Amino acid sequence: MTEEIRWGVVGPGRIAEQVVRDFAHVENARAVAVASRSLDRAQAFAGRHGIDRAHGSYAEVLADPDVDVLYIATPHPQHHAVSLGAIRAGKALLVEKSFTATVAGATEVVDAARASGVFAMEAMWTRFQPAVVRARGLIAEGAIGEVRSVQADLGVSRAFDPTDRLFAKELGGGALLDLGVYVVSFAQMLLGDPDTVTATGSLFETGVDAEASLLLGYADGRSATLMTSLRNALPGQARVFGTAGWIDVLPRFHHPQTIVLHRAGVDAEEITLPQLGGGYSHELIEVTECLRAGRTESTVMPLADTLAVQSVLEQAAGQLGVTFVEDPTAL
């Protein structure tokens, strides 16, 4: 695939507004279509961003022959049905985090993508930030020895509004699926899949999680301590501890510009690597390059990692008494 990669946007919400601007920084890729359940909303989005076609239903963009790949930015419980429809239509996928609302839903999408040979990736932009890529490189080189523990937090203070997506259970609300996915994915990236998950936290009156603290345990004694919240703001920092030093990922760690390398007997080394555009360009470049190379998965954000993260989120939510369901009516 050497010609221009043509993108469709499904769900023209807050995050899509930011992501679509970064196509300006991606060679041989362009957003050509947008779909919403409201044609007016799709047309307004298309007008703001110079997109050729606006569709008034998700089904229409799945059937659009001039779209190669879909960026899915609907509420979490709608990802499952839209993704399965896209795979049936042969469209490649970049799916916002969290990937789905349930492990079963994520597994079904991953299995369908693999069986069909269709590219799919979770839109975990953190893994593609230049500063995070450098941190992983330093760790791989042994700069801090063996990684033994990860700390990360991400939280915002939001006024409770039962009608807002963040607080509505049927829309996959709560801290874990929206913000917890970042801290869990960061830990999983560095430590692998945990053997145990222990969670404590509290709920909003709508039945979604307001805050959660997670302890991920590993059989060899490694650990991750993670916090997420919609109840109060958190610094948004991460720290990676090794046997020979540690790395601070300065706030906010999910799209950082600066990391600080600490090693015994050596002055701390500050490394700053700015993002291209708004920072979403890097995941868009990854998908575009994967498609041009004929790959069906990213090596940086493989589907196995997505499933592992989804499992941790579901276990943590379950311990807090929260269960989510997919929305079968999304298409």
Side-chain angles (χ1 to χ4, degrees), residues 135-150 190 239-248 260-264:
R136 292 186 79 177
L138 288 168
I139 290 165
E141 293 163 14
I144 60 169
E146 181 195 5
V147 173
R148 296 299 299 171
S149 188
V150 171
L190 296 169
R239 187 168 272 180
V240 185
F241 300 92
T243 52
W246 71 91
I247 293 173
D248 283 327
V260 184
L261 174 62
H262 299 265
R263 288 182 283 194

Side-chain angles (χ1 to χ4, degrees), residues 76 97-98 100 122 124 154 166 172-185 197-204 208-214 216 226-230 309-310 312-324:
H76 312 303
K97 64 216 129 21
S98 60
T100 52
E122 182 179 13
M124 180 48 73
L154 193 60
L166 285 174
L176 280 166
L177 292 188
D178 222 72
L179 298 174
V181 64
Y182 286 107
V183 294
V184 172
S185 187
V197 177
T198 308
T200 188
S202 66
L203 307 183
F204 287 117
V208 300
D209 53 294
E211 60 195 338
S213 292
L214 279 62
L216 309 188
L226 313 172
M227 291 172 62
T228 188
S229 180
L230 290 172
V309 169
Q310 200 82 43
V312 172
L313 293 171
E314 187 161 290
Q315 289 178 66
Q319 289 176 30
L320 299 181
V322 181
T323 54
F324 292 105

